Amino acid sequence: MPGNTFRKIFRLTTFGESHGYSTGGIIDGCPAGLPVNLAFIRDELKRRSPVYPGSTPRNEPDNIEFLSGIMNGVTLGTPIAFQVRNLKSRETDYDTLKNVYRPSHADFTYGRKYGIRDHRGGGRASGRETAALVVGGTIAKMLLATIPVEIRAAVSRIGTAAMPEDPESIISAIKMQQEHSVLQCPVDEVERKMLEQIEMAAETGDTVGGEVFCVIGGVPPGWGEPVFDKLQAQLASAMMSIGTAKGFEYGLGFGAARMRGSRHNDQMKLQDGQPAFITNHDGGIQGGISNGQEIYFRVGFKPVPSVKSLQKTVDNRGSETEISISGSHDICHVPRLVVVVEAMAALVLADKWLMAQSSRLDLLRK
Amino acid sequence: MPGNTFRKIFRLTTFGESHGYSTGGIIDGCPAGLPVNLAFIRDELKRRSPVYPGSTPRNEPDNIEFLSGIMNGVTLGTPIAFQVRNLKSRETDYDTLKNVYRPSHADFTYGRKYGIRDHRGGGRASGRETAALVVGGTIAKMLLATIPVEIRAAVSRIGTAAMPEDPESIISAIKMQQEHSVLQCPVDEVERKMLEQIEMAAETGDTVGGEVFCVIGGVPPGWGEPVFDKLQAQLASAMMSIGTAKGFEYGLGFGAARMRGSRHNDQMKLQDGQPAFITNHDGGIQGGISNGQEIYFRVGFKPVPSVKSLQKTVDNRGSETEISISGSHDICHVPRLVVVVEAMAALVLADKWLMAQSSRLDLLRK
Amino acid sequence: MPGNTFRKIFRLTTFGESHGYSTGGIIDGCPAGLPVNLAFIRDELKRRSPVYPGSTPRNEPDNIEFLSGIMNGVTLGTPIAFQVRNLKSRETDYDTLKNVYRPSHADFTYGRKYGIRDHRGGGRASGRETAALVVGGTIAKMLLATIPVEIRAAVSRIGTAAMPEDPESIISAIKMQQEHSVLQCPVDEVERKMLEQIEMAAETGDTVGGEVFCVIGGVPPGWGEPVFDKLQAQLASAMMSIGTAKGFEYGLGFGAARMRGSRHNDQMKLQDGQPAFITNHDGGIQGGISNGQEIYFRVGFKPVPSVKSLQKTVDNRGSETEISISGSHDICHVPRLVVVVEAMAALVLADKWLMAQSSRLDLLRK
Amino acid sequence: MPGNTFRKIFRLTTFGESHGYSTGGIIDGCPAGLPVNLAFIRDELKRRSPVYPGSTPRNEPDNIEFLSGIMNGVTLGTPIAFQVRNLKSRETDYDTLKNVYRPSHADFTYGRKYGIRDHRGGGRASGRETAALVVGGTIAKMLLATIPVEIRAAVSRIGTAAMPEDPESIISAIKMQQEHSVLQCPVDEVERKMLEQIEMAAETGDTVGGEVFCVIGGVPPGWGEPVFDKLQAQLASAMMSIGTAKGFEYGLGFGAARMRGSRHNDQMKLQDGQPAFITNHDGGIQGGISNGQEIYFRVGFKPVPSVKSLQKTVDNRGSETEISISGSHDICHVPRLVVVVEAMAALVLADKWLMAQSSRLDLLRK
């Protein structure tokens, strides 16, 4: 069970190196009869390439090809394979990186693990791999939309420019946003400060990290399996699978560690005769299972390690050296990751929905 | 694939409700020939019950019974089953909780998911379940000790009393500690403040949250599988599986989101002719694979939701009500979780070690 | 992913050596709300110990203990753990076998694989392990009975004494049988010949093999997943997991290899306005998926390798030797395996039922 | 966990409908550093299209494209994705089959399971899918060849024309064969009779079934995991996953059911000072684990259900009808399956090899 397959019933297996023939994947377990909106998939893929001052220029559109599992625009229940071809492979660009380990990249660790590595553009450990996540996640989104479950994420921090910490105000700003802004931050004023952070980093050839906040509405109570497949455990696993992610928290997160129980607890009431919650500090999950409230979480990302300034490193021949990484690297990649966070959340939830089909004998289909 | 099995090659499946016959599990995939130190397992189980002002009095020792997989004190390579019996089952204590949902517990969600729930002491969603994690994790620790890999955790925060934020000072304090202190915090002065936090919460029948910090030494480069089984993704999943966990970060974690790349990057040098790192901001993992440096991470826990003060809730018959939870509940359960965090980390690493056996053709055993 | 866990959603993990503390298992994924009939489980366990001339005398009843997952006789949706304790462990009986490899047993292979083995009574490779299969399978049967799916097996051959080869006559004999006969063969005349086979083998301290035939009614169309989880592939895997199984065939089996397509094909008609089949040569499965007809298959078992006559072998110290295996061994174990075959089939089908819940979007529960 | 992924550590996930864009798959878990011989893969793919009197004319070569996981002809340790494009898609050929269920095909069962089906050329349940198995299996073969393990299969029966039943003579004939003959049967005289069987079937527009026998040399002792991942259980599962397979037996198979234990047992001796076996009735596997002897097994296949003669069936609109299937269908597809049987065996064994890396603590790589 190597690591390129994600989740259990609705499952995605991905492949692809940065400069190989293509990247892509296979979705297995998607129920039959789901109409697939290709334009929506293309739009979601585009969200991986927001254009803003300091973003990597990308002339290359992600052309998605579906290889199986869909007939007349509807899923067949069989595996859905797809690929995004690499139109240009600029192999020679990378010759200087063949033998040297870029600091805080995966070069050294892949080299040690496998004894061989594809040095071109990060190989398997590349941002290109997220294309497959977005395609898989978008199909999961379309499946979830039939409930409907809605997943929306936004950039909540770049460097020291951040939205207010309290989840409520972030969630309400995300919901009010009509369309995706330049940096995918829903508050104009904060977004301006984020752009300043990027500009400041750009001036010195540097990069800067950030955070993505995600909120999910419409999940009914009962999704998530004790004890190791708790909904939050799988969301954490999903988010920490994204390259450069360094932290995950849901509900009040690390803030809860400072609190008293009487304050943190989500007390309950009746609303229209149904059980409801007075607060949502738990972030929509209790005991690993959704409680019907909004699910929300935050992911922290380190800055892209490809910086222009000179850094100390070693090569695979046992010498010390210095490296300056030029080329088309992002100053801040966090806006690109908003759609990736949503996609990974969708993959988790689609799987949990299907898994939840069999929890109760009285509700089984005979 | 329901959720009571953890990991792949070295795998633990657990069972048990709080007031059932026993809790326990099966470890499958432990290599043959490992001597099992029963006294060490008992000691680790005891660490789940630290005695401090405000801790739950526990007269009941965890008596572990091994049912299979070990002969003459050595593992056979076959499944290792074990159980910890529940000596007292005080069923009547829980009659008042039969129909009411305790706020921020798993009562409501289990009820909805399964249509039936064991209301006694939390049922499956109980702290008792961590006994199985500790037994499984301790066997994983013994396996890892043959390398040797060493896993050490400590309480780094209770409420507003915390060790300094920077990982380096926490790690060095943990390493200097000779034996487990009352609250499993390695700095006396901070521990005194933590005790104050607990006393203050106790005065009002309240509870308080906290954080556990963990550092792991001795992991060689090359453990962890791209892309969904990244080492950090599996550690995050493991930690977020522990009840009440709300956040996970490794390396500089959320702090990295505020940083510039040139500052965050772990530059490299030669040391005794071998590649080495100048800093360890990445927390020992790059591209999802261990790099040979110390691995360290932090987990945030919300306060125990069982508080004495009166709280609003509803019952399963559609009425609003109020509840005050008395009985032997922890004021702060975080010290109990130190050994659980270590155990879960050990389970992840044992699995990664075995998985790493097959990454390279040139190193396969024929 | 070591091998002691069976199937995916409804899954059984087993443990136990022949002379350890207990054998047992954990069922994970059984839907909540299933009443568990303990008397039925005990009856099924008894079927593992039929009494006939030449059977092993067993004074030891299989006392089943449930450790978790059931409250007030109903499943909770949480893991169902159980054990059957070994009341007597006659360790000294086995000292002579400590260093010698019994021919055609698993002694040599376990020794090589693990470098250590439990030599007492076969260790993990023992008939005792089937107790856990029967407990797990019986719970699966109870789940399937709610549809209702009915699984019935019988001994169709012992040595050269056999029922007629054609499946139709075997199936009709199985259905007419009112209760379990001595050898679990539904035709009296054949059973008498089978007893003769056993008596003849007994006279020379020998053992004899046989076959079990199984028929399953009530499975609706649509169970089974292409391409590697085809229903027949999982049934084959289940049956070949039973110790001493050497062959599996379903439908006309190897007989189909001699036939022409026009003759073998199951042509269709309408019956009460619904699609129906004119024959059932395919054994109820087409393209790996149930078609609503009866599923039937046959399993061949080699004779128990424990024979009294002197045999050549070697020991683990590199010497040739001879061995005669005395003690309470079966002359023919095939009648014991009837309930095991049914149990394994039930485990496969329960899993396929749960898996089939998520194949179609239009039938998903929201 | 839907069914399109095979095995655990060395794992293959496949995709593709008969008339979709392409068929293919992803191999995950292949160790890094394996040289990939593309010409050998192409040769193996060709073995799926033997040319003999009555075979389907195929102008379309299987053009394999590798999409990832290989650099400079060597595996990277990352997922190896590949596809074989469908050059012609003759959609209109299949319009007459859109609504009618072909007898003994998967049309009815797919229709019921998914509520939708790709009617063109069998959709997912097509012989084309075996291309992905052969590509995956051939890479597994190349991995195993480094030990070396050698896997060789042959046609041992077509209709009533068969090689002698005893495994020894079949194995010796297979070993003496220098190159693949027309029908992949190693005995000329038998092959002539097989051709007669095919000609006779062809005369009436009929089809005929057959058997494949496979022998595997070079597997060291210790591969296979008790109890559900027994080597024979996984081989059975693999073989029964191949479309039209109806039976599997290994060692003396069903023949063992007629035997006495004293006769069947493989007694042991010393050979060059090492433990060795006097016979090989067990087929190289004991207790689910390889014993170092040759592994051999037999698979029975039903005739292709596409026959020209008129057959009764129904359509999906609830009417009875008749059907005659013309077009380029095989009279006997069994010769095509020889390489598929070898491929599936290789997939099982590659996985078992990698799994066997972690069975013993004393042999783990640190």
Side-chain angles (χ1 to χ4, degrees), chain A residues 260-285:
Chain A
R260 297 279 174 82
S262 61
R263 184 75 194 292
H264 184 274
N265 284 354
D266 291 325
Q267 299 186 42
M268 297 185 77
K269 62 180 176 181
L270 289 181
Q271 196 169 305
D272 307 327
Q274 293 300 313
F277 295 87
I278 295 169
T279 52
N280 185 13
H281 297 156
D282 268 327
I285 305 171

mmCIF file of all heavy atoms in Angstrom, chain A residues 260-285:
data_model
loop_
_atom_site.group_PDB
_atom_site.id
_atom_site.type_symbol
_atom_site.label_atom_id
_atom_site.label_comp_id
_atom_site.label_asym_id
_atom_site.label_seq_id
_atom_site.Cartn_x
_atom_site.Cartn_y
_atom_site.Cartn_z
ATOM 1 N N ARG A 260 -11.451 27.260 28.828
ATOM 2 C CA ARG A 260 -12.153 26.435 29.800
ATOM 3 C C ARG A 260 -13.270 25.668 29.101
ATOM 4 O O ARG A 260 -13.872 26.170 28.133
ATOM 5 C CB ARG A 260 -12.791 27.323 30.881
ATOM 6 C CG ARG A 260 -11.790 28.110 31.689
ATOM 7 C CD ARG A 260 -11.184 27.222 32.779
ATOM 8 N NE ARG A 260 -10.111 27.928 33.475
ATOM 9 C CZ ARG A 260 -10.321 28.802 34.464
ATOM 10 N NH1 ARG A 260 -11.546 29.051 34.880
ATOM 11 N NH2 ARG A 260 -9.299 29.404 35.038
ATOM 12 N N GLY A 261 -13.605 24.525 29.616
ATOM 13 C CA GLY A 261 -14.652 23.695 29.017
ATOM 14 C C GLY A 261 -16.010 24.371 28.982
ATOM 15 O O GLY A 261 -16.727 24.308 27.990
ATOM 16 N N SER A 262 -16.348 25.057 30.072
ATOM 17 C CA SER A 262 -17.679 25.678 30.133
ATOM 18 C C SER A 262 -17.850 26.710 29.028
ATOM 19 O O SER A 262 -18.956 26.973 28.568
ATOM 20 C CB SER A 262 -17.868 26.347 31.500
ATOM 21 O OG SER A 262 -16.881 27.352 31.669
ATOM 22 N N ARG A 263 -16.764 27.300 28.632
ATOM 23 C CA ARG A 263 -16.777 28.331 27.605
ATOM 24 C C ARG A 263 -16.751 27.709 26.213
ATOM 25 O O ARG A 263 -17.384 28.199 25.285
ATOM 26 C CB ARG A 263 -15.533 29.199 27.804
ATOM 27 C CG ARG A 263 -15.414 30.364 26.910
ATOM 28 C CD ARG A 263 -16.366 31.493 27.311
ATOM 29 N NE ARG A 263 -16.424 32.427 26.190
ATOM 30 C CZ ARG A 263 -15.388 33.173 25.811
ATOM 31 N NH1 ARG A 263 -14.266 33.172 26.510
ATOM 32 N NH2 ARG A 263 -15.496 33.959 24.756
ATOM 33 N N HIS A 264 -15.975 26.627 26.085
ATOM 34 C CA HIS A 264 -15.773 26.029 24.758
ATOM 35 C C HIS A 264 -16.970 25.202 24.306
ATOM 36 O O HIS A 264 -17.294 25.148 23.112
ATOM 37 C CB HIS A 264 -14.515 25.147 24.765
ATOM 38 C CG HIS A 264 -14.192 24.566 23.415
ATOM 39 N ND1 HIS A 264 -14.748 23.394 22.960
ATOM 40 C CD2 HIS A 264 -13.398 25.021 22.406
ATOM 41 C CE1 HIS A 264 -14.296 23.140 21.741
ATOM 42 N NE2 HIS A 264 -13.477 24.105 21.381
ATOM 43 N N ASN A 265 -17.614 24.532 25.243
ATOM 44 C CA ASN A 265 -18.684 23.591 24.863
ATOM 45 C C ASN A 265 -19.764 24.230 23.994
ATOM 46 O O ASN A 265 -20.178 25.360 24.236
ATOM 47 C CB ASN A 265 -19.354 23.040 26.127
ATOM 48 C CG ASN A 265 -18.489 21.987 26.805
ATOM 49 O OD1 ASN A 265 -17.448 21.596 26.278
ATOM 50 N ND2 ASN A 265 -18.903 21.544 27.976
ATOM 51 N N ASP A 266 -20.217 23.480 23.026
ATOM 52 C CA ASP A 266 -21.337 23.908 22.189
ATOM 53 C C ASP A 266 -22.634 23.417 22.825
ATOM 54 O O ASP A 266 -23.019 22.246 22.661
ATOM 55 C CB ASP A 266 -21.193 23.332 20.771
ATOM 56 C CG ASP A 266 -20.040 23.963 20.013
ATOM 57 O OD1 ASP A 266 -19.783 25.172 20.214
ATOM 58 O OD2 ASP A 266 -19.405 23.264 19.201
ATOM 59 N N GLN A 267 -23.301 24.332 23.554
ATOM 60 C CA GLN A 267 -24.550 23.939 24.179
ATOM 61 C C GLN A 267 -25.639 23.784 23.113
ATOM 62 O O GLN A 267 -25.490 24.235 21.980
ATOM 63 C CB GLN A 267 -24.929 24.964 25.262
ATOM 64 C CG GLN A 267 -23.840 25.023 26.349
ATOM 65 C CD GLN A 267 -24.203 25.907 27.532
ATOM 66 O OE1 GLN A 267 -25.332 25.890 28.010
ATOM 67 N NE2 GLN A 267 -23.240 26.685 28.013
ATOM 68 N N MET A 268 -26.708 23.114 23.482
ATOM 69 C CA MET A 268 -27.746 22.783 22.500
ATOM 70 C C MET A 268 -29.101 23.380 22.859
ATOM 71 O O MET A 268 -29.362 23.757 23.994
ATOM 72 C CB MET A 268 -27.868 21.263 22.371
ATOM 73 C CG MET A 268 -26.596 20.596 21.852
ATOM 74 S SD MET A 268 -26.781 18.799 21.565
ATOM 75 C CE MET A 268 -27.679 18.784 20.013
ATOM 76 N N LYS A 269 -29.958 23.446 21.861
ATOM 77 C CA LYS A 269 -31.330 23.950 22.041
ATOM 78 C C LYS A 269 -32.204 23.267 20.989
ATOM 79 O O LYS A 269 -31.713 22.489 20.174
ATOM 80 C CB LYS A 269 -31.337 25.465 21.822
ATOM 81 C CG LYS A 269 -30.918 25.844 20.390
ATOM 82 C CD LYS A 269 -30.912 27.329 20.135
ATOM 83 C CE LYS A 269 -30.386 27.591 18.707
ATOM 84 N NZ LYS A 269 -30.314 29.017 18.375
ATOM 85 N N LEU A 270 -33.462 23.563 21.025
ATOM 86 C CA LEU A 270 -34.345 23.113 19.950
ATOM 87 C C LEU A 270 -34.573 24.272 18.984
ATOM 88 O O LEU A 270 -34.702 25.426 19.398
ATOM 89 C CB LEU A 270 -35.694 22.645 20.507
ATOM 90 C CG LEU A 270 -35.687 21.328 21.280
ATOM 91 C CD1 LEU A 270 -37.093 20.987 21.734
ATOM 92 C CD2 LEU A 270 -35.111 20.195 20.431
ATOM 93 N N GLN A 271 -34.619 23.950 17.703
ATOM 94 C CA GLN A 271 -34.906 24.965 16.699
ATOM 95 C C GLN A 271 -35.859 24.320 15.706
ATOM 96 O O GLN A 271 -35.529 23.283 15.113
ATOM 97 C CB GLN A 271 -33.603 25.371 16.020
ATOM 98 C CG GLN A 271 -33.688 26.661 15.243
ATOM 99 C CD GLN A 271 -32.286 27.127 14.838
ATOM 100 O OE1 GLN A 271 -31.386 27.286 15.663
ATOM 101 N NE2 GLN A 271 -32.109 27.312 13.555
ATOM 102 N N ASP A 272 -37.043 24.891 15.584
ATOM 103 C CA ASP A 272 -38.085 24.261 14.770
ATOM 104 C C ASP A 272 -38.293 22.809 15.219
ATOM 105 O O ASP A 272 -38.491 21.914 14.397
ATOM 106 C CB ASP A 272 -37.732 24.293 13.280
ATOM 107 C CG ASP A 272 -37.397 25.703 12.794
ATOM 108 O OD1 ASP A 272 -37.998 26.655 13.320
ATOM 109 O OD2 ASP A 272 -36.517 25.833 11.917
ATOM 110 N N GLY A 273 -38.174 22.603 16.498
ATOM 111 C CA GLY A 273 -38.423 21.262 17.037
ATOM 112 C C GLY A 273 -37.279 20.290 16.883
ATOM 113 O O GLY A 273 -37.351 19.148 17.340
ATOM 114 N N GLN A 274 -36.199 20.732 16.256
ATOM 115 C CA GLN A 274 -35.063 19.840 16.035
ATOM 116 C C GLN A 274 -33.871 20.231 16.907
ATOM 117 O O GLN A 274 -33.688 21.415 17.185
ATOM 118 C CB GLN A 274 -34.623 19.905 14.563
ATOM 119 C CG GLN A 274 -35.637 19.341 13.592
ATOM 120 C CD GLN A 274 -35.927 17.884 13.886
ATOM 121 O OE1 GLN A 274 -35.020 17.088 14.091
ATOM 122 N NE2 GLN A 274 -37.215 17.539 13.953
ATOM 123 N N PRO A 275 -33.039 19.259 17.300
ATOM 124 C CA PRO A 275 -31.825 19.592 18.051
ATOM 125 C C PRO A 275 -30.944 20.550 17.256
ATOM 126 O O PRO A 275 -30.752 20.346 16.044
ATOM 127 C CB PRO A 275 -31.112 18.241 18.218
ATOM 128 C CG PRO A 275 -32.172 17.211 18.022
ATOM 129 C CD PRO A 275 -33.162 17.818 17.075
ATOM 130 N N ALA A 276 -30.464 21.595 17.908
ATOM 131 C CA ALA A 276 -29.578 22.558 17.245
ATOM 132 C C ALA A 276 -28.529 23.014 18.251
ATOM 133 O O ALA A 276 -28.620 22.707 19.439
ATOM 134 C CB ALA A 276 -30.385 23.737 16.728
ATOM 135 N N PHE A 277 -27.535 23.734 17.769
ATOM 136 C CA PHE A 277 -26.424 24.142 18.618
ATOM 137 C C PHE A 277 -26.431 25.649 18.805
ATOM 138 O O PHE A 277 -26.757 26.397 17.879
ATOM 139 C CB PHE A 277 -25.106 23.689 17.991
ATOM 140 C CG PHE A 277 -24.964 22.200 17.935
ATOM 141 C CD1 PHE A 277 -25.463 21.480 16.851
ATOM 142 C CD2 PHE A 277 -24.358 21.507 18.970
ATOM 143 C CE1 PHE A 277 -25.344 20.097 16.810
ATOM 144 C CE2 PHE A 277 -24.242 20.126 18.925
ATOM 145 C CZ PHE A 277 -24.733 19.419 17.844
ATOM 146 N N ILE A 278 -26.043 26.090 19.997
ATOM 147 C CA ILE A 278 -26.037 27.530 20.301
ATOM 148 C C ILE A 278 -24.762 28.173 19.756
ATOM 149 O O ILE A 278 -24.778 29.308 19.313
ATOM 150 C CB ILE A 278 -26.201 27.731 21.822
ATOM 151 C CG1 ILE A 278 -27.601 27.224 22.233
ATOM 152 C CG2 ILE A 278 -26.011 29.193 22.209
ATOM 153 C CD1 ILE A 278 -27.824 27.100 23.730
ATOM 154 N N THR A 279 -23.652 27.416 19.788
ATOM 155 C CA THR A 279 -22.389 27.895 19.191
ATOM 156 C C THR A 279 -21.838 26.800 18.284
ATOM 157 O O THR A 279 -22.410 25.716 18.201
ATOM 158 C CB THR A 279 -21.343 28.205 20.290
ATOM 159 O OG1 THR A 279 -21.236 27.039 21.143
ATOM 160 C CG2 THR A 279 -21.740 29.405 21.120
ATOM 161 N N ASN A 280 -20.718 27.094 17.616
ATOM 162 C CA ASN A 280 -20.066 26.075 16.783
ATOM 163 C C ASN A 280 -18.560 26.112 17.009
ATOM 164 O O ASN A 280 -17.779 26.259 16.065
ATOM 165 C CB ASN A 280 -20.421 26.262 15.303
ATOM 166 C CG ASN A 280 -19.849 25.142 14.437
ATOM 167 O OD1 ASN A 280 -19.401 24.119 14.955
ATOM 168 N ND2 ASN A 280 -19.844 25.343 13.124
ATOM 169 N N HIS A 281 -18.158 25.982 18.249
ATOM 170 C CA HIS A 281 -16.716 25.983 18.552
ATOM 171 C C HIS A 281 -16.048 24.696 18.115
ATOM 172 O O HIS A 281 -14.860 24.660 17.852
ATOM 173 C CB HIS A 281 -16.503 26.182 20.072
ATOM 174 C CG HIS A 281 -16.997 27.500 20.564
ATOM 175 N ND1 HIS A 281 -17.354 27.732 21.855
ATOM 176 C CD2 HIS A 281 -17.214 28.679 19.911
ATOM 177 C CE1 HIS A 281 -17.750 28.979 22.003
ATOM 178 N NE2 HIS A 281 -17.684 29.574 20.833
ATOM 179 N N ASP A 282 -16.836 23.632 18.069
ATOM 180 C CA ASP A 282 -16.264 22.331 17.708
ATOM 181 C C ASP A 282 -16.039 22.204 16.198
ATOM 182 O O ASP A 282 -15.475 21.212 15.742
ATOM 183 C CB ASP A 282 -17.190 21.196 18.180
ATOM 184 C CG ASP A 282 -16.819 20.688 19.574
ATOM 185 O OD1 ASP A 282 -15.616 20.710 19.897
ATOM 186 O OD2 ASP A 282 -17.707 20.277 20.319
ATOM 187 N N GLY A 283 -16.496 23.171 15.426
ATOM 188 C CA GLY A 283 -16.240 23.128 13.985
ATOM 189 C C GLY A 283 -17.021 22.039 13.279
ATOM 190 O O GLY A 283 -16.568 21.502 12.265
ATOM 191 N N GLY A 284 -18.199 21.730 13.797
ATOM 192 C CA GLY A 284 -19.104 20.840 13.054
ATOM 193 C C GLY A 284 -18.826 19.357 13.203
ATOM 194 O O GLY A 284 -19.457 18.538 12.528
ATOM 195 N N ILE A 285 -17.882 19.001 14.076
ATOM 196 C CA ILE A 285 -17.508 17.594 14.232
ATOM 197 C C ILE A 285 -17.408 17.264 15.712
ATOM 198 O O ILE A 285 -16.745 17.977 16.464
ATOM 199 C CB ILE A 285 -16.141 17.291 13.568
ATOM 200 C CG1 ILE A 285 -16.145 17.710 12.093
ATOM 201 C CG2 ILE A 285 -15.792 15.809 13.688
ATOM 202 C CD1 ILE A 285 -14.768 17.651 11.430
#
